Amino acid sequence: MKKITLLFLFLITSISFGQNIRFEGVISEAGKTPLEMANIMAVNTATKGMDAYAITNDKGKFILNLKPNTTYAIKLTYIGMQNKEITVVTKEVNITQNIAMEAGGIELNDVEIVREMPVSIKGDTIVYNADSFKTGTERKLEDVLKNLPGVQVNADGEVEVEGKKVTKLMVEGKDFFDGDTKLGVKNIPADAIDKIQVLRNYNENSILKGVENNQDNVAMNIKLKDGKKNFWFGDITAGGGFDDNEKLDRYLVNPKAFYYSPKYSINIISNFNNIGELPLTVQDYFKFTGGFKNMMGKGGSSFNVSSNDLGISLMRNNRAKEIETKFGATNFSYNPTKAWSLSGFGILSASTTDLETKSQTNILQPNSSQIASTENRNEVAHQKSNLGLFKLSSSYKPSTKFQMDYDILTKLSKQDEDNSLLRESIVANTALTETIFTNKKQNPTSVNQNLSLYYTHNDKNIFAFEMQHLFQEEDPFYNANLQSQPFNLSGYTTGQNRNNINQNRFVKTNKIDAKLDYYYMLTPKSNINVTFGTTYSHQNFDSSIYQILDSGNTNNLTAVQNTNDVNYNFNDVFMGLHYKILTGKFTFTPGVSFHTYNMTNTQLGTNFNRNFFRVLPDFLGVYQIKKAESLTYNYAITNNFTDINKLAEGFVLNGYNSLSKGYRELENATQATHSLRYFKYNMFNFENIAAFASYTKTVDAVKTSSVFNGVNQTSLPYNSNFADETLTGFGNYGRSFLKNYKASANTSLNWSKFNNIQNGVLSTNESFTQNYTVKASTNYKNLPNLEVGYTYTINDYSDSKFYTDKPFARLDYYFLKSFSFVSEYEFYHYYNKGKTVENEYDFLSASLIYQKKESKWEYKISTTNLLNTKSLNDDSFSQFSTRTSQYSVQPRYVIFSLKYNL
């Protein structure tokens, strides 16, 4: 903690360093109308460098902090106005001067001067000049983005601008691994970037721009420097080193190559290492959408195909005891003609991971009569994961009136995990200890296809047809080898020395979504949208359980309650009607959808059918307070349907201590959601405010009735008569000041209430998680730059409360025109309410880079986990239990690497 205090003092000292002269005033048109978002820049006539810049606020006001006794060329630009340049000589007193601009101007001159501006705005596009925000230590796009006002990058490589997630990343207007920003921000070289364009209210299809609501869509386009176009660029990195045991067996090989021309582009990324770098995690793989849209988002129904994964253990923050990775990816685009473009990518990843975990799970008690149950585990897991992602896209646009798009995304994976654990079960103060061995295998495959047609008949009539098909096969296998008998299954042979129980499962899904939208433009600011759509799904579910006896023979548990052979058809046919109108600063989109549902599941030799009709309203309202300030309200009622997994009435083995079965007569859940979002962005001082609140109430929710035999659980789903509720909130405030400083504060809150039946007793459990973060940073060119911050987290579960204090700091310094030093530090104080669980640990990394200016060679020495922390803590909450865990992490590494820039 003393180190962090010193870093804060250093930041405060650096802020007070130097005395500036304030040059302020108002920019207006012909001395009358104030000009909002005019660009003004101060160029030092002696050094030819830019000392300050600003963008005017809604009253035309600007403030520049200049050096005393210096002569400046003040340059002004504004779209539609003549460029202007004046000379200002500072002394040692502040200056106030209003500046008038004249209408007109030469377009080419406008463009030339705007390129020099650090930030410029034109319509819905914000353009950042990357070099204006570089300090010299940046190596990847991620490093540049973190310096931009209003832009945030989290640890998973997700980018947010003005509080909204960037959903598409492009380079020179071409998709870069569509559907994910991580590969781009972690790999695109910083020295290749010229401009960063933020595209607000983004719609890939220009035909629908303006008729659909796109206020939450944000894309980002990277413009390359001239020397990087029509030439291969990138780098090749190779390194080796040792760990805390001084074994020279650590390696890193990371070649990257990029080529961009107007006709085609190619990106190649690879990474081979055993130092814990994961270009694509298992979590990333499963959430990788490939850019596929939620085309039925406003349809009123939700039918989500759930995953049958076996809960393969995941490391925290990519940290585990041991990780070895082999990764390769390529992305391409090609324009055979001006009207036709092709693009796609292929990703292959193989990783081997070792995990060691100590955990304690406490079963929640619905009342005082419930027997207290606790499970303590010491686990060792070995994983192998092979992942594949492949996408091909085609877009044909012969004219502004017609466009046809086709995409196909294939996901392949092969995962295997062996786990051995020592379990201590404590039930009613009686402890039982045993060793358990498990094996999980799964090879899921999915193919997702999308076809879209857009046609503008005339100014009044627009048509859009979209169809999406999902094919998915899952085949998880689970084996558990225990000393005790976990469940009383029909046909089970008792009295064995070891209880070896196995389950095969196979789930196949075919799902089609299709809809036709017709837009009729009543006026330039209002339209009617009529939608005809359908969702059809056909699923098969087969499972069987068998026992391996001590003799090695197989005992198939063929009783009907231990097997599944289920077919399930779901069909939703609907018509939607929406009306959109812009009036003044308001946009209103009320709507309603009419649904006919038909569901049939076949199992146990019989059919069960359900048919019904629903009317589902929705509403969207947007109040555009100013150009960069808005308030959005959204309301919708949604029918949520379970898929085949919760309908299959035979037992399913979820784990060595968890058994479940479905219920074929489950009904849908109805969910009402209210959300409110406020956003404000001020280019004058780069102040950004984002706030979001959402309340959801689910009635007739699909819930779980569970029976706990000690710590072993048997579950059955049912439709609850009690509503579940969730309330989430998020707030962020950030701004820049004095040119070289920025600070931010944010908070996220999540409250939830769940109702279940536990051991025959109605159980209501609540959780409330809180996260608060404050941070401040500098952005100097020739001085060390420091970021310091503090995060406070509270996880308040029904019978447990966990706290985490986390101060953090980052120091980067570019010096002697050749050296870069970067260091990051995080300190964790983790404890529960009574401090019966308490741990302190920290992580420190540092790197020193040497590269002469204009040289293609870079030399680097880096260390990870410099303080050699052994483990970290985590906690989690389910609707029946709380869990706190301690995970072993990789030891200290020292790596020497050499990089050659192409």
Side-chain angles (χ1 to χ4, degrees), residues 106-144:
I106 302 173
E107 189 68 24
L108 290 178
N109 289 342
D110 286 347
V111 174
E112 195 62 32
I113 292 184
V114 168
R115 285 177 60 85
E116 299 176 359
M117 285 292 176
V119 183
S120 60
I121 298 177
K122 185 175 181 181
D124 288 331
T125 301
I126 304 175
V127 182
Y128 295 94
N129 180 22
D131 287 342
S132 300
F133 298 94
K134 293 178 182 177
T135 62
T137 61
E138 297 81 9
R139 291 297 180 269
K140 299 170 291 187
L141 171 60
E142 175 183 30
D143 303 323
V144 181

Side-chain angles (χ1 to χ4, degrees), residues 37-40 53-57 61 119-121 683-684 686:
M37 295 187 178
N39 295 280
I40 180 168
Y53 68 92
I55 295 176
T56 58
N57 65 8
K61 185 177 179 180
V119 183
S120 60
I121 298 177
M683 292 298 294
F684 176 63
F686 299 110

Side-chain angles (χ1 to χ4, degrees), residues 28 197 253 338 380 424 447 454 472 612 625 654 827 845:
S28 60
Q197 298 176 332
V253 180
K338 290 183 178 180
V380 176
E424 181 187 41
V447 179
Y454 307 96
Q472 180 172 287
F612 61 96
I625 305 169
N654 302 308
F827 175 85
S845 65

Side-chain angles (χ1 to χ4, degrees), residues 64-165:
L64 297 176
N65 292 287
L66 308 177
K67 296 176 182 177
N69 304 311
T70 306
T71 301
Y72 286 98
I74 305 296
K75 299 184 178 184
L76 301 95
T77 65
Y78 189 84
I79 300 298
M81 295 287 167
Q82 295 184 36
N83 300 324
K84 189 161 188 173
E85 181 174 329
I86 63 174
T87 300
V88 171
V89 180
T90 63
K91 295 182 181 179
E92 295 184 356
V93 295
N94 294 333
I95 302 171
T96 299
Q97 181 177 339
N98 297 330
I99 306 172
M101 298 185 71
E102 303 296 331
I106 302 173
E107 189 68 24
L108 290 178
N109 289 342
D110 286 347
V111 174
E112 195 62 32
I113 292 184
V114 168
R115 285 177 60 85
E116 299 176 359
M117 285 292 176
V119 183
S120 60
I121 298 177
K122 185 175 181 181
D124 288 331
T125 301
I126 304 175
V127 182
Y128 295 94
N129 180 22
D131 287 342
S132 300
F133 298 94
K134 293 178 182 177
T135 62
T137 61
E138 297 81 9
R139 291 297 180 269
K140 299 170 291 187
L141 171 60
E142 175 183 30
D143 303 323
V144 181
L145 292 177
K146 288 180 178 179
N147 294 335
L148 304 183
V151 178
Q152 294 181 327
V153 184
N154 65 22
D156 293 327
E158 295 177 336
V159 183
E160 286 190 355
V161 178
E162 303 175 350
K164 300 175 183 177
K165 183 179 175 181

